[in-house]
Structure formats: C-alpha cells, structure tokens
DNA sequence: CATGTTTGTAAGTATGACTTACAAAGCGGC
DNA sequence: GCCGCTTTGTAAGTCATACTTACAAACATG
C-alpha cells in the first residue's frame, strides 16, 4: 500500500519510464516494482505506453505512466467574490471544461450549499473519463474532516461540506482552505521549496504554510491566517475586526485599490503606495520567516498590483530584518503559474488523497 | 521495527502494563504485542515486574516496563556562560551524577572540543549501568548530521561534534541546538502541546518550534533563531549584530539586568521595565503564533525575571494581537520543570533516536 | 553470428503481523 | 469446594509483501 503510493509519486513527478527505471528510482527491486505496476494497471491508474526508443544495448523497456489523460478530477474554487468557479481537469493540470455559478448577494448558508452542489454535479456530468475525486478550495477555516468551521464570506458555520458532497456525488471529496489549496498547487505543480509560506492577497489576506512538503494546519485548523495580525507595534487604519493596523487593512486588494486611487487624485507616485504596502508585508513576515528559517515566500494575487514595486519592497524589508549570522537566503516571488492556482490546488488535493502523490 | 518503537513509546508514556494492556493501547493483537515484548526483553530494554495486583476476574497479567533504572544516558549542556555542564541520568529523568568543566576565557575551538570530550568521558566513567547514548545541547546552529555549523559563543564553525564524540566514546551520540533540546524536554517530559514554540531567554535569545510533535529545523537548520529579528517596525537599541531593536537587544538577561538596575537607581518601578520588555516579546511572537495557529508558548529562562509581570505583559500583548474570529486560544507559560531543561532534553534526544520514543 | 547487456517475470524464501485455538490463573455463585 | 466465566499469554498456522535467485526475450556491438 505504502509502496504503491511511492510508485505513483515517482511516476507523477518523473514521467513515463520503464519498470526497471522505476525500480532504480524507488530503491525497490525490479520484481517488486514490476508487481506494483501490475497492480496499478489492474486498477486502471497506470497504462503502458509501448516500448522505449532503443538507446543502448539490452532489451528496450516498456514505458509505463500514470493514465494522465484517462483520469479526471473536478476542482472547485469558492473564493471568488462574484462567483463560485469550477473545472474538469485531467492529471496534467489541463482544464478541459469550466463552469461558474454566480453568487447572489445575501445568500443563505443552505442556498450556498445547494449552489455549490449543483456546480459540482454539472461538472461531473461534463467529465468524460473516470473521475478520481472532487477537490474544493474554500475561504474560511476547514477542519481535517472537511467541515467548514467558519467562512464569513459565504455565511458558513460548521458546514460538513465534504460529507455533503460525498453523499450526493458518490466520489471522494477533499475540502481545504483556498490558501492551502494554492500552496499545494505551487508546491507540487510549481516546484516550490518543501518549506514555503504562501500569502494570498485578495479581498482578504490569508496564508498557508508548508513544512517538509506537508501543510501545517495548526491547533485549531487556522494556520496561515495572518490577515488580522497587526503589523508592527500597532497603530494604523481601523480594521473590520476591530483592531488597528492589521495586515489586511494595509494590503488587501480593495485597500490597495483605494490607496492607488487616492494617490492618483493627489498626483503622488503610485510606487510610493505600493512600496509602503509591500514594506508592511515584509515587516509582518520577518518573525515568521526567521522563526521557521524559510527560504521561499510566495505571494499570490493580482499580478498588476504585486509584481515589481510591491514585491521588491516586501523582499527588501524582509531581508533587511532577517539577515544575520546564519547563511540564510530568502526569496519572495509570485507563483510559478498564478492562473487558476486554487483550481490546480484542488487537483493536487485529490492526487494526494487518492494516489498518495505529493 | 516500527512497531517495536510503538511499544516502547507506549510504555514510556503510560508506564508499566501487561502485554494485553499493551495490545489494546497500540491496536496490535495480543500475540504480536507479546512477541514484540519478548524481543525487547531479549534486547534488555524492557523488564518484567511481576504480576499485577489482582483486580477483576481473569488471570492477572504480568507487568512489563522499560528498564527505567537499568539504563542510563549521558547528557551535556554546553550553553552555560561559565561552564560546560553534564550529567548521568536514568530514564526517569533523575540525575544520578553531575560534572562541570569551567570554560576558560578565550578558548580555541580545539580546546573547547577537548574539554567537552573530557567531560563526556568522565561522565561515562561514572555511569554504572548500560549507557544508551549521549545527548548534547549546544548553542549555535546544528545540522541534522550533528555538525555544529556555527556557534559564536564557543568559537565553533563546522565542528562535527557528533562524529567526534561517537568515534571517541563508541556510544550513540545526538547533538542539537540547546533551545531544541529544551523544547524536546518540555514536549516529552513536561506534557507540552504537540504544537509549541519555546523561547529561551538567556545571554542571548533563541527559540525552537515543534509541530505535530516534531522539531522544525528549517531550510538552513536555523529555525527558531528569533533573537536577531527586529521587533516592530524598527528603531530601538543598537544590537551586536548591527541592526536596531532586535528582540535580543530588548529582552536578553544581561539587557534586562541593566534595565532593572537603571530603574532602581532612578527610583522607577521595576515592573514598568519588565512589562515593557514582555510586550516586545508578545509583539514579535504575534505573527508567528498567528501564522502557525499555536496554542502553547513556553518561555524558558530565569524565573525571577520572567515569572509574573514579564510573562503577563507578553501574553497580554500577544493575545490582543491574535484574538479574532477563530476560536483560538493561546497560553504563555514557564516550563513545567525549568531545572536542567537542556540536560533533560539530552535524555529525550537519546530516547528518540535509540528507542523511537517521542 | 556469437557475446554481452538489459528487461521483465517465475519460483522460492524471509519477515511481520494476523487469526484461531488452548492451557493457565484468577473471580464469583452455588 | 467446585463449576462456569473471564482474562492472560503463547503455540500453530495463514496471509501479505518484499526480497533473492534464476531465466527467457530482445537488443547493440564487434
């Protein structure tokens, strides 16, 4: 069981190879690897791709690989302000179909659940291959049982979303916080460092932390929630949460929009605004990056706002606070591929839970 | 192999029990548990303690337990300013013998190594039972291979301490940073939360982080090193590292001593000083505790300085910055047992590496 | 075309845990 | 005091998984 996952993981990351290659890569014997591949072929997860182009001496091997185009995954991103979005994807990450369900203002919790369920159902109907599972990235705090403990934006409070969808759809379902989904996507598909912090800048500000390739969930499933931690010693604009100077009150997209508009009206350079906001992010991140000795910080959000001035200022503020006697280096960057990062995270979630790929 | 460690872990934490109890506690069958116990008895790690006082119906079981007093561990604490300290301990954590080697001012790296080796040798000679291994807590940054990458206080730079001691002493050796050792002690012997941050306030300020019961080491083995992260937006006293307002420049023991003396001379209340310093710590910890969603923060250091005002102020500053929409609670506290916390950490390190106990 | 290399699988072995079965040792009710 | 019931610890056999050994098939090279 454990070694089946090992083989799947190796295939996922290294691509098509022969059974003998697989044995060398995993450290198993050729016999064992061959047996495991047989089992996976029987499960219709792995397929043979014909003989390898002959290269050296010896019998050419038969390439095997995950059935990347013969298996599909449904992915949902519930973090959008205007709509719930979803897609049918194959294991390559290619989006084969998209659907959206607009969010009606002032939906009840039950209405939102029904809308999400309908979206998932419609996507499932669009899938034309075997569906491995459904991966959902939602705003809010999610338990490891897939219960949305609290999601103010959607009006959810203790909604057992995973069990609900699983009961209605009869396929495996994984539910996680949207920032966690994004971090998984960046880690597994984007080649992030095994130790990584990802900041998601949107209507709100959230984050996700990966250590040694695994998500950190925290004591109350709220790890990564840095939006409402005040920057520095205090002071600053009042935040919706009642405190002053929370990170979110400095760098959320709506807030940055306001500040940019103000600057434009007053004829001041926009760079000053973006640079100031980036600095706030760097200040807040410094203790985290220092305490965890991180080397990779990803900032996911609107590229037009974040790329350049904002990110440079954040990185400068962070580095100047971290640099010290330890040969520590840290880079701040945008995601390798920021399009549909939460949807791709949903794919990774299913791969992780169904195939043990991570 | 894996289940042997499982049995040892269960015995360590739950104490003497019968083979049948062990089976129920571990989820293994009685047959398997019995076989594993037999193996451990053959290895002279576990001993029978005679029949249990008859309680209910049925044949009374025979109690088995780790041979807590028949196995010993050597522990070294190299973090002292005036001396290297060491002890012979049994598995209960009882200190059976102590030794110290004074630090001569301006030792060379080689001299320090020789002193530490001699200390370990002398302790080993004092042990009168089988020695499981040597656990060393040292200041500085330590690789997972037991190489002290950099320890300015001792003048070490890339010293392969583990291999050195292992070669000379012929017993298993584990080397870790002193704060990490303290965190392991608190976690395993003091009943800390599986997610925990420990701050060590001494001549310098260090820290250690445990997530899901495991130490976080970070990308460059420097996780926990928060002493030289500036508090807040900057400003404050100049630090030895060249930056301004580093945590260490606010709350190190020497610095607190200075501040207290100043206050006494000026006739100001000492509480103000301690409260201000505690607040700095709370401010720095807020992003860390928020991002990791921690619920347990331990502050290890001189009780007379930290207990009361300092800790209360730190906790107040931390809580006021963290509190939010998530049902998150966090407590700051002193260690359950602050005496010899690094030495007890050395014991845990050996237990972890030799018996898989954690 | 003989030789050496590499692949994939068949057959047997070793390990570790599981299920089933049973003797030994206690308690309680009669 | 004895019979039935419960619990403990172990013996014997089964099952799953990976390993070692051995071999036929397919290819490159001289």
């Amino acid at each position: 069981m454990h070694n089946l996952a090992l083989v799947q993981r190796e295939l996922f990351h290294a691509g098509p190879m022969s059974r003998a290659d697989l044995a060398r890569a995993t450290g198993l014997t050729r016999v064992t690897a061959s047996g495991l591949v047989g089992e996976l072929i029987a499960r219709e997860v792995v397929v043979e791709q014909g003989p390898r182009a002959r290269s050296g001496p010896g019998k050419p091997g038969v390439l095997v690989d995950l059935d990347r185009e013969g298996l599909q995954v449904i992915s949902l991103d519930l973090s959008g302000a205007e709509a719930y979005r979803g897609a049918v994807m194959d294991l390559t990450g290619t989006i084969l179909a998209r659907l959206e369900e607009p969010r009606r203002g002032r939906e009840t919790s039950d209405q939102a659940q029904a809308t999400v369920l309908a979206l998932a159902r419609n996507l499932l109907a669009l899938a034309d291959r075997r569906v491995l599972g459904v991966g959902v990235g939602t705003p809010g705090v999610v338990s490891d049982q897939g219960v949305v403990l609290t999601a103010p934006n959607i009006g959810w409070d203790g909604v057992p979303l995973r069990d609900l969808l699983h009961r209605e759809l009869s396929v495996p379902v994984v539910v996680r916080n949207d920032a966690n989904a994004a971090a998984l996507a960046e880690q597994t598909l984007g080649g992030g460092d095994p130790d990584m912090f990802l900041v998601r800048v949107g209507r709100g500000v959230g984050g996700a932390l990966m250590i040694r390739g695994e998500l950190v969930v925290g004591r109350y499933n709220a790890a990564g929630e840095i939006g409402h931690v005040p920057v520095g010693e205090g002071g600053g604009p009042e935040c919706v949460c009642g405190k002053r100077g929370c990170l979110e009150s400095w760098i959320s997209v709506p807030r940055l929009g306001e500040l940019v508009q103000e600057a434009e009206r007053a004829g001041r350079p926009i760079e000053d605004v973006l640079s100031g906001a980036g600095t706030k992010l760097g200040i807040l991140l410094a203790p985290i990056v220092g305490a965890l000795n991180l080397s990779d910080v990803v900032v996911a959000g609107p590229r037009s706002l974040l790329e350049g001035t904002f990110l440079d200022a954040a990185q400068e503020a962070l580095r100047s606070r971290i640099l010290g006697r330890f040969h520590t280096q840290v880079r701040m960057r945008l995601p390798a591929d920021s399009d549909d990062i939460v949807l791709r995270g949903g794919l990774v979630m299913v791969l992780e839970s169904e195939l043990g790929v991570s």
Side-chain angles (χ1 to χ4, degrees), chain A:
Chain A
M1 202 63 198
H2 179 251
N3 282 344
L4 280 176
L6 180 63
V7 166
Q8 289 172 142
R9 189 157 48 237
E10 186 61 35
L11 282 177
F12 180 80
H13 285 116
M17 60 177 80
S18 73
R19 292 165 170 85
D21 293 335
L22 211 37
R24 278 184 292 268
T26 57
L28 301 168
T29 58
R30 276 209 317 280
V31 179
T32 304
S34 196
L36 293 171
V37 167
E39 170 69 26
L40 291 175
I41 289 177
R43 294 190 190 184
E44 298 188 324
V45 168
V46 163
V47 288
E48 290 198 338
Q49 295 190 328
R52 182 212 309 275
R54 46 209 159 283
S55 52
K59 171 178 171 178
V62 177
L63 295 178
V64 296
D65 193 12
L66 290 179
D67 191 0
R68 294 179 134 91
E69 302 187 351
L71 296 168
Q72 299 182 342
V73 167
I74 308 297
S75 220
L76 303 183
D77 176 3
L78 310 186
S79 70
E82 275 90 34
Y84 303 119
R85 303 171 53 217
V88 181
M89 311 175 84
D90 63 19
L91 299 201
T92 68
T94 306
I95 293 188
L96 306 168
R98 288 178 188 272
L99 285 182
E100 287 191 11
E101 284 286 345
R103 295 181 57 175
R104 332 182 189 296
R106 296 276 152 243
E107 254 177 340
T108 67
S109 165
D110 287 346
Q111 284 169 338
Q113 291 173 47
T115 306
V116 169
L117 175 59
L119 176 58
R121 241 196 254 284
N122 294 338
L123 285 163
L124 210 44
L126 288 176
D128 56 356
R129 299 293 160 84
R130 188 173 136 219
V131 172
L132 272 182
V134 177
V136 184
T138 172
V141 176
V142 183
S143 83
D144 49 3
Q145 306 297 319
V147 178
V148 181
L149 298 175
T150 158
N153 286 348
I154 307 188
W156 281 348
D157 211 334
V159 173
L161 190 59
R162 188 189 67 183
D163 290 349
L164 176 75
L165 292 178
H166 178 59
R167 192 173 51 243
E168 296 291 329
L169 303 174
S170 301
V171 292
V173 177
V174 195
V175 180
R176 284 191 188 278
N177 168 277
D178 58 336
N180 286 11
L184 283 169
E186 182 62 21
Q187 169 95 46
T188 302
L189 305 174
D193 201 275
D195 288 17
M196 183 186 84
F197 194 83
L198 180 141
V199 183
R200 222 168 111 74
V201 180
R203 201 148 58 111
V205 175
L209 174 64
M210 306 208 63
I211 291 187
R212 291 215 264 162
E214 285 184 21
L215 270 176
V216 173
V217 298
R219 178 72 172 76
Y220 301 99
N221 300 294
E225 298 291 349
I226 56 170
H228 294 284
V229 177
V231 177
E233 325 228 355
E238 191 168 341
C239 179
V240 291
C241 73
K243 300 197 291 294
R244 285 198 163 275
C246 292
L247 181 63
E248 191 163 309
S249 70
W250 290 112
I251 71 163
S252 74
V253 169
R255 179 65 183 158
L256 286 178
E258 280 176 34
L259 290 171
V260 165
Q261 281 192 352
E262 271 179 33
E264 277 174 341
R265 272 199 300 271
R268 279 174 299 151
I270 297 174
E271 276 70 27
D272 290 3
V273 167
L274 294 176
S275 161
T279 300
K280 296 293 180 187
L281 177 59
I283 292 173
L284 191 91
L285 287 177
I288 300 170
V289 171
L292 296 167
N293 193 220
L294 293 173
S295 60
D296 193 18
V297 177
V298 178
V299 184
R303 184 175 279 268
S304 58
L305 278 173
L306 305 178
E307 194 166 29
T309 309
F310 179 94
L311 201 62
D312 293 344
Q315 173 157 292
E316 167 58 23
L318 175 57
R319 284 190 173 159
S320 69
R321 282 169 171 72
I322 293 304
L323 101 169
R325 304 155 306 170
F326 319 112
H327 324 92
T328 288
Q329 295 177 359
V330 56
R331 60 170 176 168
M332 288 190 72
R333 59 186 181 87
L334 299 179
D337 181 359
S338 56
D339 294 338
D340 301 311
I341 193 165
V342 175
L343 289 178
R344 289 186 300 121
L347 166 63
V348 174
M349 285 153 56
V350 172
L351 291 178
E352 191 172 18
S353 83
E354 297 307 305
L355 304 184
V357 166
S358 58

